[in-house]
Amino acid sequence: MSDIVKGVGDGVMTLTFNRLDKKNAITAAMYADMADALAQASEQDAIRVVVFQGHETIFSAGNDIADFLNKPPSKQESPVYRFLSGIASFPKPVVAAVCGPAVGIGTTMLMHCDLVYAGDNAAFSLPFVNLGLCPEAASSLLLPQMLGYHRAAEALMLGEPFMAEAALEAGLVNRIVPSQEASNLAQAQARKLAAKPIRSLVETKRLMKKGEAQLVAQQMTEEGASFERMLREPAAREAFNAFMEKRKPDFSRV
Ligand code: COA
């Protein structure tokens, strides 16, 4: 079975992370599958809403660190950037069900979803600095807007996890439910949306996002250039090697 399981029914396309042995860490192939699925969903009238979900115990451990080490993304057309620009500009509603850890892009992608339902075990984290990297997915723009500068700085600079309650208070999620109910709730909300007039949904989303769309795209491009450079620098190499070797990184010489 694929690492991204795609299901379509009742006007809803559901994309499920399915790489539990690696905590749903996302590889280039998975980004490519998701980017292709979003392009298909955007074009096909039969698909009106997209749902992202993981497992009851883990949403995603973020980008696959072995991929970062061995084949870091190097071009704006690489799968991760295709996925990020695809979800940021996706015209139809996107719903997410998030349980357990949502690390890195597992959290930043939620800023581009319309409705987010969290399990009570959800834990969000943005450990870019701890990995010698910088924010992505326009999170350096969107997070300060959502949380205020100081709370965003805490999340992005310390990189410590924050739990579902804090995410609810910050406006990153719509509702918290027991983890075993999050997927069903997301599906039910998606089906409600899918039964509504699609042109109204698309226009409503466009109008809500139009003031920011260009800024978001610009921020993503600038973040992407820095991220790509930093992936190859000593701090990130040390962080990735330390993760693979299951030890603490030593940044004293970088
Ligand atoms: N990339 C590649 N492999 C990963 C991974 C990642 N982002 N996250 C977890 N894995 C792998 C581990 O290497 C381990 O593989 P192994 O069984 O072959 O040794 C397996 O998934 C289980 O991970 P483990 O750390 O033992 O699970 P856990 O339940 O103790 O912790 C997390 C779960 C998500 C908190 C922890 O794995 C983690 O912090 N992962 C890294 C997150 C990260 O920094 N992502 C990059 C964001 S930009």
Side-chain angles (χ1 to χ4, degrees):
M1 202 180 262
S2 163
D3 291 340
I4 297 290
V5 175
K6 188 169 84 175
V8 180
D10 299 335
V12 178
M13 174 189 275
T14 302
L15 299 174
T16 306
F17 296 118
N18 180 44
R19 195 177 174 231
L20 262 184
D21 60 325
K22 294 290 179 188
K23 302 286 168 181
N24 289 341
I26 309 175
T27 59
M30 291 162 75
Y31 288 121
D33 281 356
M34 293 191 290
D36 291 346
L38 284 175
Q40 181 200 352
S42 178
E43 277 166 23
Q44 290 187 357
D45 290 344
I47 300 170
R48 299 158 80 93
V49 181
V50 171
V51 174
F52 283 96
Q53 61 184 18
H55 184 262
E56 247 172 67
T57 59
I58 176 112
F59 183 62
S60 170
N63 203 103
D64 187 282
I65 291 181
D67 257 19
F68 267 163
L69 203 52
N70 302 325
K71 34 182 177 162
S74 62
K75 295 257 168 15
Q76 289 291 334
E77 64 271 20
S78 67
V80 61
Y81 299 124
R82 259 201 318 124
F83 167 66
L84 283 177
S85 65
I87 192 169
S89 60
F90 191 69
K92 301 173 187 178
V94 182
V95 181
V98 184
C99 296
V103 186
I105 200 163
T107 289
T108 59
M109 64 177 279
L110 303 175
M111 296 172 201
H112 302 284
C113 296
D114 302 291
L115 305 178
V116 181
Y117 297 103
D120 49 12
N121 60 349
F124 305 86
S125 59
L126 300 158
F128 302 115
V129 166
N130 300 342
L131 292 167
L133 299 169
C134 68
E136 30 105 279
S139 57
S140 57
L141 171 75
L142 298 173
L143 206 65
Q145 287 178 355
M146 293 177 96
L147 273 64
Y149 179 82
H150 292 94
R151 287 197 296 170
E154 195 169 47
L156 284 170
M157 291 182 177
L158 288 175
E160 290 168 358
F162 53 100
M163 307 309 285
E165 289 291 346
L168 182 68
E169 194 206 331
L172 183 65
V173 310
N174 291 79
R175 207 186 297 175
I176 304 170
V177 293
S179 57
Q180 62 278 15
E181 291 171 22
S183 171
N184 284 347
L185 176 59
Q187 291 292 334
Q189 300 295 76
R191 279 167 173 69
K192 266 193 223 167
L193 287 170
K196 294 185 187 294
I198 185 67
R199 289 168 70 88
S200 284
L201 287 171
V202 167
E203 191 60 6
T204 299
K205 180 164 178 172
R206 188 188 72 78
L207 288 164
M208 284 200 289
K209 296 219 162 202
K210 82 172 181 113
E212 287 271 283
Q214 209 182 338
L215 275 178
V216 165
Q218 278 167 359
Q219 193 83 0
M220 265 194 209
T221 304
E222 188 169 341
E223 289 173 343
S226 298
F227 200 99
E228 190 185 313
R229 173 174 45 77
M230 296 178 93
L231 276 171
R232 291 164 174 78
E233 290 179 354
R237 310 305 287 179
E238 166 59 12
F240 304 154
N241 282 316
F243 180 79
M244 301 309 288
E245 292 159 16
K246 301 190 189 291
R247 61 170 172 83
K248 275 198 157 70
D250 174 7
F251 295 125
S252 63
R253 280 186 297 277
V254 294

